Amino acid sequence: MRLHPVRCGVLLLALGCFLSLTWISSLPANGGPPGVSDLQILHQRLLVAEELGVRVSRDLSIIQEQMRNSSSNGSHVEPDSEKQQTFLQSNIYLYMPHLREHPGSLVPNVVLGQGRRGVSIVLGIPTVKREKQSYLLNTVSSLLYSLTDPQRSDLLIIVFVAETDSDYVAGVADSISRSFPREVQSGLLEVVSPSAHYYPDFSTLRETFGDSKDRVKWRTKQNLDFSFLMLYAQDKGTYYVQLEDDVVAKADYYSSMKTYASQEESKQWLFLEFSLLGFIGKMFRTRDLPMIAEFFLMFHRDKPIDWLLDHILWVKVCNPERDVKDCARQKASMKRTYKPSLFQHVGLHSSLPGKVQQLKDKDFGKQTLHVPHSNPPAAVSSSLKHYQQHSLQRLYAGDDFFWALTPIQGDHVLISFSQDTHVTGFLFRSGNIETSGDKFYNTTVEVLPSNAVAKEQIPSRYKQSDDGFIVIGAFENGVAEGPVDEALLPLSALRLVVHSDSDVWALLSEVHIKL
């Protein structure tokens, strides 16, 4: 006969209780230090017994809940199953009793994902259906913009679509798949959503703090959304960072966060702040997420999420017998702020219908929208019409970025060197942190050797155009970078050629001609 795992747990627990109680009763009456009375020894035994009783009660509660879930489902769900990951936190049923009626409601719906784990940083982005404008794709683009390959391997971005409308969830997943296919395939990007039964009946909420019924519902749901996302992310990395779906990130956000977290790792803190706004850019150790999420769930009906986070600090470090100033000092010691801020809020229309918010982090500073380089003397020109003052000449001089109206097939950017030049390599980066979608697509990098001998000795692996230019590279995910073969040197010109009509404008934020 095969023993059910839950029954085995009950038997082992009972055996542990018996052995523990046997150990307590076997303590010698004179087992304490000299001069300690029998009453004190008995008191010590009772304290040990009380602690064991609390543990037993808690463990029995967990096992009983697992038995209920198992009997309801008719089969046992393994905790480590990637496809059936559940939140093994039994207390959630105390704060959300409606979930008992739907045991499967704690199984996340993983729409897109490769089950990535073991990364340094997990970014959580909850998103909801907005009446006006969606900022989600721009937010994800901003986070991906300047990541190196090693950073991409050490990061997980989880988009939590906090909606139960399956068509809407599928639509968001499809947009992300089409916009970021490489990131989805590699496991860098995941899209998850809750079950249809996760949320309670919001119509029974009590209005508090002068908030309207809609606002109370909005803030309560936000508490539940953040809790779900935290519980889902708890075993996927070392640090978890809470974001929103309408932010932009600084280009070096990943390395800045990882370096700062490493510096502060040995110190006592509950979270690190990488933005001063609300809940944006708050980093937690993933081992603390179950406790934090449980606190949010315990009071999800009562207060907004940023207030609850502050209350966790109060509970942890504030002494009720001391004054408010001492409490503020103690709380400040449990959170550490990185400056300047790495994330900026850009959304104008809140996820709360009808709410317009002008939130800006004043400590964010100005974004670096172009990277200047000292390039060799050249005359530059383009068939593309630039927008306002963002000309190609200003980009090449290192003063600005080049921003052009929508490219069509045959458009080009031409760099004609003032004299024959030995170029060792090139880098062209399109888009920037604020306009990350305006990239060059289906665009090649071509060079023009400056002497006839070189043209006759061009290696067969290169494709040559009718006017003598040699194709040596192409844009991939907005970037074109590579070396220049010595057989092609010296060069008299270099150009970019667009081979198909584009749906968006094109922006060059970096041009580096390496000598």
Side-chain angles (χ1 to χ4, degrees):
M1 179 180 70
R2 187 172 69 90
L3 280 176
H4 194 284
V6 175
R7 295 194 184 100
C8 288
V10 174
L11 291 174
L12 289 173
L13 183 59
L15 178 60
C17 296
F18 173 78
L19 292 175
S20 301
L21 291 174
T22 301
W23 172 77
I24 293 171
S25 62
S26 68
L27 289 174
N30 58 354
V36 178
S37 67
D38 290 344
L39 185 60
Q40 287 176 303
I41 294 173
L42 177 60
H43 178 66
Q44 292 173 0
R45 292 178 180 177
L46 289 174
L47 288 178
V48 174
E50 182 179 11
E51 182 180 353
L52 286 171
V54 171
R55 293 181 188 175
V56 170
S57 176
R58 182 179 65 243
D59 293 343
L60 276 174
S61 175
I62 293 173
I63 291 174
Q64 288 171 349
E65 194 59 55
Q66 290 177 343
M67 290 178 69
R68 278 195 294 269
N69 289 348
S70 179
S71 61
S72 298
N73 289 333
S75 61
H76 177 64
V77 179
E78 294 295 337
D80 294 331
S81 170
E82 291 185 2
K83 295 183 182 283
Q84 294 292 321
Q85 177 192 0
T86 58
F87 305 144
L88 298 180
Q89 186 159 333
S90 62
N91 288 350
I92 195 171
Y93 294 103
L94 300 177
Y95 318 128
M96 302 176 69
H98 71 282
L99 295 178
R100 296 182 186 277
E101 302 175 9
H102 306 283
S105 57
L106 291 181
V107 178
N109 176 28
V110 181
V111 187
L112 297 174
Q114 304 295 331
R116 179 178 285 196
R117 281 182 170 80
V119 299
S120 293
I121 298 176
V122 180
L123 304 180
I125 308 174
T127 186
V128 297
K129 188 185 301 183
R130 294 176 182 263
E131 286 186 345
K132 301 281 186 179
Q133 180 180 359
S134 173
Y135 307 92
L136 177 62
L137 294 182
N138 287 338
T139 295
V140 176
S141 294
S142 171
L143 295 171
L144 297 172
Y145 171 68
S146 60
L147 293 177
T148 64
D149 287 339
Q151 291 171 347
R152 286 170 173 264
S153 301
D154 196 35
L155 179 69
L156 173 61
I157 301 174
I158 303 172
V159 176
F160 173 58
V161 187
E163 301 285 353
T164 55
D165 180 345
S166 58
D167 291 337
Y168 179 77
V169 172
V172 173
D174 182 62
S175 295
I176 289 178
S177 292
R178 286 186 285 104
S179 300
F180 314 105
R182 185 173 68 140
E183 289 76 13
V184 170
Q185 184 63 34
S186 68
L188 170 57
L189 263 177
E190 288 190 4
V191 177
V192 300
S193 67
S195 78
H197 304 292
Y198 174 65
Y199 298 108
D201 181 3
F202 291 117
S203 65
T204 62
L205 293 173
R206 180 170 54 91
E207 296 177 26
T208 56
F209 305 111
D211 287 343
S212 66
K213 185 177 289 294
D214 285 342
R215 187 175 182 86
V216 171
K217 174 184 175 181
W218 173 77
R219 77 185 197 209
T220 299
K221 182 177 179 297
Q222 186 179 63
N223 290 339
L224 298 178
D225 292 343
F226 283 30
S227 299
F228 189 104
L229 190 43
M230 286 181 171
L231 291 173
Y232 177 74
Q234 63 182 295
D235 63 346
K236 297 185 180 297
T238 305
Y239 300 105
Y240 171 80
V241 180
Q242 185 71 53
L243 296 176
E244 294 184 5
D245 65 351
D246 53 356
V247 301
V248 295
K250 285 198 169 168
D252 61 345
Y253 80 93
Y254 173 89
S255 57
S256 297
M257 286 197 302
K258 188 172 181 181
T259 300
Y260 188 65
S262 297
Q263 292 173 354
E264 302 295 318
E265 176 56 34
S266 61
K267 301 174 184 177
Q268 185 180 16
W269 47 267
L270 182 66
F271 62 88
L272 305 178
E273 286 189 303
F274 294 98
S275 173
L276 299 179
L277 295 177
F279 220 110
I280 296 172
K282 303 299 183 281
M283 173 185 278
F284 307 90
R285 296 180 176 95
T286 52
R287 66 172 182 258
D288 292 331
L289 292 181
M291 176 274 294
I292 295 168
E294 181 167 356
F295 193 92
F296 291 160
L297 291 169
M298 192 182 306
F299 300 105
H300 70 273
R301 294 170 174 263
D302 302 308
K303 289 186 177 181
I305 192 119
D306 48 344
W307 292 12
L308 293 179
L309 182 61
D310 184 72
H311 290 337
I312 296 178
L313 295 177
W314 192 97
V315 170
K316 278 186 166 292
V317 298
C318 288
N319 186 338
E321 297 179 355
R322 298 189 177 179
D323 59 20
V324 175
K325 290 184 179 179
D326 179 75
C327 180
R329 284 193 298 270
Q330 297 301 326
K331 287 194 297 184
S333 70
M334 292 293 288
K335 59 180 181 179
R336 302 177 186 275
T337 303
Y338 178 90
K339 292 186 177 182
S341 297
L342 299 180
F343 303 97
Q344 177 66 286
H345 181 264
V346 296
L348 179 63
H349 301 283
S350 169
S351 56
L352 175 62
K355 180 185 178 184
V356 176
Q357 49 190 14
Q358 305 281 357
L359 294 175
K360 294 294 177 185
D361 190 333
K362 295 180 181 179
D363 197 49
F364 184 73
K366 291 185 177 180
Q367 283 277 46
T368 301
L369 301 180
H370 73 285
V371 179
H373 290 283
S374 179
N375 291 311
V380 295
S381 61
S382 177
S383 60
L384 292 161
K385 183 177 180 181
H386 66 266
Y387 175 68
Q388 294 184 351
Q389 79 278 9
H390 304 294
S391 66
L392 181 61
Q393 288 75 14
R394 285 173 57 81
L395 165 69
Y396 198 77
D399 299 328
D400 198 358
F401 54 87
F402 172 51
W403 201 8
L405 276 61
T406 309
I408 60 173
Q409 183 177 359
D411 275 333
H412 70 273
V413 170
L414 177 64
I415 301 173
S416 299
F417 300 114
S418 301
Q419 58 185 11
D420 294 348
T421 304
H422 285 263
V423 176
T424 61
F426 60 90
L427 168 63
F428 295 92
R429 188 183 303 276
S430 62
N432 61 29
I433 200 72
E434 290 189 354
T435 318
S436 54
D438 289 353
K439 298 177 180 179
F440 276 94
Y441 299 94
N442 196 15
T443 301
T444 55
V445 180
E446 305 176 1
V447 296
L448 181 64
S450 59
N451 60 74
V453 176
K455 294 176 183 177
E456 295 172 355
Q457 298 176 351
I458 294 171
S460 59
R461 64 179 177 275
Y462 292 113
K463 179 180 178 182
Q464 185 172 1
S465 65
D466 294 339
D467 54 358
F469 277 84
I470 312 299
V471 178
I472 62 170
F475 278 80
E476 181 179 352
N477 199 27
V479 178
E481 183 175 16
V484 178
D485 196 324
E486 288 187 7
L488 305 178
L489 300 177
L491 302 180
S492 61
L494 185 152
R495 74 182 180 187
L496 309 180
V497 179
V498 179
H499 296 280
S500 60
D501 295 352
S502 178
D503 296 327
V504 296
W505 288 17
L507 185 152
L508 276 177
S509 57
E510 186 174 5
V511 172
H512 189 192
I513 308 301
K514 304 174 185 180
L515 302 180

